[in-house]
Amino acid sequence: MIRRIVEIDEEKCTGCGACADACHEGAIGMVNGKAKLLSDSYCDGLGDCLPSCPADAISFVEREADAYDEEAVKAAQAVKKAQHSGCPGMQIKIMSKADSAENTDCGTVPGWLMQWPVQIKLVPVKAPYFSGAELLIAADCTAFTYGDFHREFIKGRIALIGCPKLDSTDYSEKLSEIFVQNDIVSVKVVRMEVPCCGGIEQAVRKAAEISGKDIPVTVDIISTDGRIISR
């Protein structure tokens, strides 16, 4: 449909965050230091954000856009609340990997992580980065065991990690909510060869079944000496 919706001039944007704070629907977020419209369906077109911008970087246009979605807005508001309260480690961040891949100063190897947090217990059930995502759900030991973990597994995926033995929890309930409430394209499970690590694979398969969605799930198994022994 054609409707009124926010437009942000990134060249003018100074990254002050005033518009994101003013947007009650959570339609605007800060990504790599710039204001960004997170979803057409979050924006009601009323313009609470417009007068808050000191750089005159926000305007409204009439264009083809998804309809305003009140349920999606409620989820976005919950995300925004999490960003401004509680533990700083739970605050959502979205990173640009195009920038990270270019950043090889001082001989550092580029990382491919695209979001924060990564712990299954800390991630919100609904977040902008889950839209159309290919998920990596990995046992936390795998990143220390397999040397090329970022390039091989994290690149191009939204990463979630956990340890079913140490956390002593069943991840399937939360993962099934993530699968239900988001458009997840696929899931790659990476686990260790040790038997207790099978819990994370079982939780993902159970969550996919509970969700009722046909989400492709693949599993790679890492040996304790750092080799991929099954995929």
Side-chain angles (χ1 to χ4, degrees):
M1 66 170 63
I2 302 295
R3 69 182 186 92
R4 187 172 185 261
I5 197 162
V6 71
E7 184 171 76
I8 301 169
D9 186 332
E10 290 193 8
E11 291 187 2
K12 290 184 178 180
C13 177
T14 63
C16 70
C19 58
D21 290 337
C23 179
H24 301 302
E25 290 73 29
I28 299 176
M30 302 306 296
V31 180
N32 300 317
K34 296 285 186 177
K36 183 178 178 63
L37 177 62
L38 300 178
S39 172
D40 287 359
S41 61
Y42 296 172
C43 179
D44 61 9
L46 297 180
D48 289 344
C49 57
L50 191 62
S52 68
C53 180
D56 195 29
I58 296 179
S59 60
F60 280 84
V61 296
E62 295 281 338
R63 66 167 174 84
E64 184 74 27
D66 293 338
Y68 175 66
D69 186 337
E70 186 175 356
E71 290 303 313
V73 166
K74 289 179 180 178
Q77 288 171 331
V79 169
K80 186 173 181 180
K81 182 178 180 181
Q83 288 178 311
H84 290 85
S85 63
C87 173
M90 296 178 67
Q91 293 179 5
I92 292 173
K93 295 181 182 179
I94 303 174
M95 287 81 85
S96 167
K97 288 303 101 189
D99 293 339
S100 177
E102 296 293 332
N103 183 13
T104 55
D105 295 343
C106 302
T108 59
V109 176
W112 290 98
L113 187 66
M114 294 195 293
Q115 100 290 341
W116 183 267
V118 295
Q119 286 281 353
I120 296 172
K121 294 174 69 174
L122 299 183
V123 295
V125 169
K126 184 78 173 179
Y129 50 70
F130 282 138
S131 179
E134 296 182 48
L135 289 189
L136 167 68
I137 300 179
D140 49 17
C141 291
T142 57
F144 293 93
T145 309
Y146 189 75
D148 203 13
F149 191 83
H150 269 248
R151 188 189 63 82
E152 178 79 21
F153 296 115
I154 295 181
K155 184 178 180 180
R157 297 185 177 101
I158 295 300
L160 307 181
I161 66 169
C163 177
K165 183 175 179 66
L166 295 183
D167 285 346
S168 300
T169 187
D170 181 0
Y171 297 127
S172 61
E173 182 177 351
K174 184 167 188 179
L175 290 175
S176 65
E177 291 182 23
I178 292 173
F179 295 167
V180 168
Q181 295 193 35
N182 301 277
D183 177 25
I184 303 300
V185 174
S186 65
V187 179
K188 165 73 75 177
V189 178
V190 182
R191 48 159 291 197
M192 297 298 299
E193 64 176 329
V194 295
C196 60
C197 210
I200 201 161
E201 177 183 346
Q202 294 169 11
V204 171
R205 294 194 184 280
K206 181 179 177 182
E209 182 179 355
I210 292 172
S211 74
K213 292 185 175 182
D214 185 17
I215 301 174
V217 176
T218 58
V219 180
D220 285 14
I221 301 177
I222 309 296
S223 68
T224 54
D225 61 357
R227 295 174 293 112
I228 299 176
I229 58 175
S230 177
R231 62 186 341 168

